[in-house]
Amino acid sequence: KSTYPQLIGLIRKASETSFLFFVFFILGHSYFHTAWHVARMYELQDNPDMTLDLWPRETGKSTLGTQDYTMWKTLKDPECVTGILSYNKSLAKSHLFAIKTAFESNDLMKKIWSDVLYEKPDRESPRWSLDEGIIVKRKSVRKEGSIEAGGLIDGMPTGKHFDLVFDDIVTPGNIGTPEQIEKTSEMFQM
């Protein structure tokens, strides 16, 4: 028992230092084991900002880049606020659902980051819903949730300040005509 807090501290340090460690050992996503996936995890860890990630479909961009990275970033810095913006709000909410579920059900994560995650977030957190976003334990009082979801076309949050994560904001269905391309471009620039 006396080494338990030390072990938790070592696991937390390894998790916060290595995105790959976090993905494999905390989230249990061992299916991202190829050299290509490992290289992408190091890219996300070492140079996440100001990049356009053009990964082929079904390679894990949404899971690794949108969901796992957002959890990792939030656990390391609970004062950070993230807006997940997709083409439509329902797609963004599906990513928030995965994050919310992991924060609720991953007991190891809740033990390691007990200063960040609530034991019973649906009762303890000031905000814990897919529609309004979720708030982890943090010191600041802000109008933005820790993580919120919005749609580029149908529910883009306005007046809020996020470290933004864009995911699938352009789809074949929203760039079929010159008018759709123009509207998508205008909404993205906003």
Side-chain angles (χ1 to χ4, degrees):
K1 285 234 177 201
S2 63
T3 60
Y4 181 75
Q6 291 173 319
L7 180 60
I8 292 295
L10 287 172
I11 295 170
R12 181 170 178 158
K13 184 173 182 169
S15 297
E16 291 182 356
T17 304
S18 171
F19 181 56
L20 185 139
F21 184 93
F22 177 75
V23 169
F24 277 100
F25 296 105
I26 304 302
L27 299 176
H29 292 174
S30 58
Y31 43 87
F32 294 122
H33 63 276
T34 67
W36 188 87
H37 283 109
V38 170
R40 300 299 75 76
M41 285 186 256
Y42 281 120
E43 284 176 359
L44 287 166
Q45 172 183 305
D46 297 335
N47 192 22
D49 298 326
M50 304 307 291
T51 62
L52 176 62
D53 298 313
L54 299 173
W55 301 9
R57 290 241 176 249
E58 306 300 321
T59 57
K61 181 179 69 70
S62 293
T63 301
L64 286 170
T66 303
Q67 298 167 18
D68 296 356
Y69 182 78
T70 298
M71 284 187 274
W72 188 62
K73 187 175 174 179
T74 301
L75 292 169
K76 288 174 43 166
D77 180 10
E79 301 303 317
C80 176
V81 295
T82 301
I84 300 173
L85 300 180
S86 295
Y87 166 68
N88 63 45
K89 191 169 184 175
S90 66
L91 179 58
K93 284 169 62 173
S94 71
H95 297 304
L96 179 57
F97 176 79
I99 294 167
K100 180 178 171 289
T101 301
F103 283 171
E104 292 168 348
S105 63
N106 187 317
D107 291 332
L108 179 59
M109 198 185 307
K110 289 196 292 189
K111 278 186 181 29
I112 294 170
W113 288 277
S114 61
D115 60 321
V116 178
L117 298 177
Y118 292 100
E119 185 62 36
K120 301 203 180 304
D122 55 328
R123 290 187 221 151
E124 298 169 331
S125 174
R127 190 181 323 154
W128 200 259
S129 77
L130 295 177
D131 290 324
E132 300 297 319
I134 63 175
I135 297 177
V136 298
K137 295 177 186 176
R138 62 186 186 190
K139 294 177 182 149
S140 62
V141 177
R142 302 177 65 171
K143 64 182 172 184
E144 298 89 1
S146 300
I147 307 169
E148 294 185 21
L152 187 62
I153 303 300
D154 64 345
M156 187 149 128
T158 55
K160 296 191 178 187
H161 299 62
F162 295 111
D163 298 315
L164 292 175
V165 174
F166 295 104
D167 187 88
D168 293 333
I169 58 170
V170 177
T171 66
N174 68 352
I175 56 167
T177 67
E179 293 81 18
Q180 288 175 318
I181 292 170
E182 184 178 339
K183 183 177 180 183
T184 300
S185 297
E186 286 174 11
M187 295 303 291
F188 179 72
Q189 289 173 5
M190 282 178 57

